[in-house]
Amino acid sequence: SQQGEEDPQALSIQEGENATMNCSYKTSINNLQWYRQNSGRGLVHLILIRSNEREKHSGRLRVTLDTSKKSSSLLITASRAADTASYFCATVHLSGTYKYIFGTGTRLKVLA
Amino acid sequence: GAGVSQSPSNKVTEKGKDVELRCDPISGHTALYWYRQRLGQGLEFLIYFQGNSAPDKSGLPSDRFSAERTGESVSTLTIQRTQQEDSAVYLCASSTLAGGTGELFFGEGSRLTVL
């Protein structure tokens, strides 16, 4: 079964507002990554945060990780219409083979 | 090539037919993954190849599904006796780093429609 669950499932905001989406997972991880998907095709990597990190920034993206709560959040600041996409978290297990388990995704719509 | 290449981009087939999907990873990427994504859903892990190690096939949903990869080159995903529930986008991804420590580079996917 998929490890990650994301909420909200869908989010609609105005351009310029901030968008926050959350990811929860079930078992201990090596790292957590966020990906973006446009139009239901290929995904693009956004940011990786390791299990010993608590916060990471990349441009307008801010990711937090709380391993005690097994959760992560992705914040997109000053959103733009071009940020409209689906966003997925992916976790890598600590043990076993290193498959990336993806969450259910958040569909973000930014209105101009 | 510059990125992960998948073919065909779209495939329409009749129930019961076999289909073969191809993935050309980025040169030098040792790790290769196949995922399935049904409409409006998340990504389901299917199979993982790492160099010459035995693949992790734990995500293959039935014995109708199989995949091969020779060394660090092209991979093919074969679905035998297709069923309507096999309709989905099949995504391939590769990574230069082993052990799940790097980012995945995805192809554009192969959209399979089973009539």
Side-chain angles (χ1 to χ4, degrees), chain B residues 23 32 34 47 49 66-70 73-78:
Chain B
C23 173
L32 186 148
W34 282 98
I47 188 168
F49 295 92
S66 63
E68 291 183 351
R69 186 187 189 196
T70 304
S73 62
V74 170
S75 175
T76 55
L77 176 68
T78 302

Side-chain angles (χ1 to χ4, degrees), chain A residues 23-26 54 65-72:
Chain A
C23 168
S24 62
Y25 56 92
K26 297 175 184 173
R54 292 298 167 257
L65 179 65
D66 187 335
T67 53
S68 66
K69 294 181 179 177
K70 292 186 170 58
S71 67
S72 172

Side-chain angles (χ1 to χ4, degrees), chain B residues 37-79:
Chain B
Q37 185 178 31
R38 292 195 168 107
L39 186 64
Q41 304 295 311
L43 278 69
E44 297 174 67
F45 168 78
L46 295 177
I47 188 168
Y48 161 52
F49 295 92
Q50 175 58 51
N52 292 316
S53 303
D56 178 350
K57 302 180 181 181
S58 61
L60 294 178
S62 76
D63 58 9
R64 296 188 297 105
F65 287 72
S66 63
E68 291 183 351
R69 186 187 189 196
T70 304
E72 297 179 0
S73 62
V74 170
S75 175
T76 55
L77 176 68
T78 302
I79 308 173

